[in-house]
Amino acid sequence: MNKVVLVTGANSGIGLGLCERLLQDNESLQLCLACRNMQRAQAARSALLTSHPSAQVALLQMDTSSISSVLAAAQEVKLRYNRLDCLYLNAGIMPKPQFDVNAFFKGVFSSGIITMFTTGQGILTQKDCVTADSLQEVFATNLFGHFLLIRELEPVLCDAGHTSQLIWTSSSNAHRPAFNLEDMQHQRGTQPYSSSKYASDLLSLALNTHHNKQGLYSSVICPGFVMTNMTYGILPSFPAFLWTLLMPVFWLIRIFCNNFTLNPYNGSEALFWLFKQKPESLDPQAKYHSSTSGLGNNYIQPRKMDIDLETSEALYEQLLQLESEVRKKLKGKQK
């Protein structure tokens, strides 16, 4: 049977790069692009079909920051497919950051240059906003919308005698100090992106605890430092030509630091590799990093995540409680 794969945030960057690789490997896939902007989604679909005319590429409108959009999209998926083999939880946002120029130039000439470039640590702070559902936008988009999607799609993911995968696009910027269980949505902090990515690492572990017996397995990847629209938005005051000037620096750094994958194809290496593995053989506490050597060869590096079962379970319970609350609010509005 042809596998059914759904990718959130698939119209550009790493998501689109992944879709291209999946179809290069197997055009018989049933591939569904779940995107917020349908105009961009249609353009992505057309580009994929130009390269793979016989491919089955469907579109699904979904904004993971919107509860009603996620619920409607999940219903549509269940109408279209009786099973889902792989769900890529790739959609995400990073708020336009405040950039500390002085810290940047100090960092360029310090031993922390690689960490600074790959995580923004020390040079970026972010200000989040609130969605129409009264949730923090980064939390809702990167984590909670995906959690709700998984919950809604359990009937097609947890099918008897069938193994399915959840694969999260996380980040090397997922730091434990940025996350606080008492402030799950990161309302009081200045690192909502880092917090949301650390939370996704925790949630992946909890999902394995709760769903492995049902044949559902969750894994986490880091794409490395990739030049995408999100990356270009990190330093919004920089003119475009500066990125061109920086590219030789990035290539030089890659000789010594293999997480400078730089383009979406390389960055999707771990996403694609995981799809080819038996999910039950994977380490639930490992993050699988896309890596590119100085010669341009791609490979995978599994690294233990700084997470624990107790915290992951506590987060899972809080998310269930929040799910219950938002469903009650939604029902109240519908009445």
Side-chain angles (χ1 to χ4, degrees), residues 54-245:
S54 63
Q56 301 177 67
V57 183
L59 298 180
L60 178 72
Q61 201 285 325
M62 183 176 67
D63 178 357
T64 53
S65 73
S66 166
I67 302 301
S68 59
S69 177
V70 171
L71 295 177
Q75 290 306 310
E76 180 64 25
V77 170
K78 287 183 283 188
L79 287 173
R80 293 186 194 179
Y81 310 109
N82 58 16
R83 79 177 200 287
L84 201 54
D85 294 281
C86 187
L87 173 56
Y88 281 100
L89 305 152
N90 172 72
I93 61 168
M94 178 188 289
K96 188 174 181 178
Q98 299 296 315
F99 180 64
D100 189 331
V101 177
N102 291 331
F104 172 76
F105 284 107
K106 286 180 181 178
V108 167
F109 300 102
S110 73
S111 60
I113 181 174
I114 293 174
T115 301
M116 181 187 72
F117 271 120
T118 55
T119 70
Q121 187 173 327
I123 60 172
L124 300 175
T125 59
Q126 300 153 353
K127 188 175 181 180
D128 203 357
C129 57
V130 178
T131 71
D133 299 306
S134 300
L135 300 173
Q136 294 299 120
E137 186 177 29
V138 176
F139 166 81
T141 304
N142 297 3
L143 183 78
F144 187 68
H146 283 133
F147 173 75
L148 192 59
L149 180 65
I150 295 166
R151 294 277 294 160
E152 284 289 304
L153 293 182
E154 283 183 10
V156 291
L157 286 167
C158 302
D159 189 18
H162 175 252
T163 299
S164 295
Q165 286 180 281
L166 304 171
I167 303 178
W168 296 82
T169 300
S170 182
S171 171
S172 58
N173 199 17
H175 300 309
R176 181 188 283 265
F179 178 77
N180 184 350
L181 269 175
E182 296 179 359
D183 185 21
M184 177 176 65
Q185 296 192 44
H186 206 75
Q187 294 170 300
R188 300 187 295 272
T190 59
Q191 300 180 68
Y193 181 79
S194 179
S195 175
S196 71
K197 291 302 180 180
Y198 185 78
S200 69
D201 295 352
L202 289 169
L203 178 55
S204 179
L205 182 61
L207 289 166
N208 280 310
T209 301
H210 288 269
H211 292 297
N212 279 179
K213 290 182 179 179
Q214 298 167 285
L216 180 60
Y217 295 83
S218 183
S219 300
V220 179
I221 75 101
C222 172
F225 182 76
V226 184
M227 304 302 290
T228 63
N229 291 335
M230 183 182 290
T231 310
Y232 288 119
I234 288 176
L235 305 176
S237 61
F238 275 25
F241 77 89
L242 188 56
W243 285 111
T244 303
L245 294 177

Side-chain angles (χ1 to χ4, degrees), residues 26-47:
N26 183 4
E27 282 195 11
S28 66
L29 283 176
Q30 293 187 61
L31 184 60
C32 182
L33 316 185
C35 308
R36 178 173 50 184
N37 186 312
M38 291 309 288
Q39 184 176 356
R40 293 177 183 174
Q42 186 60 59
R45 180 178 183 272
S46 298

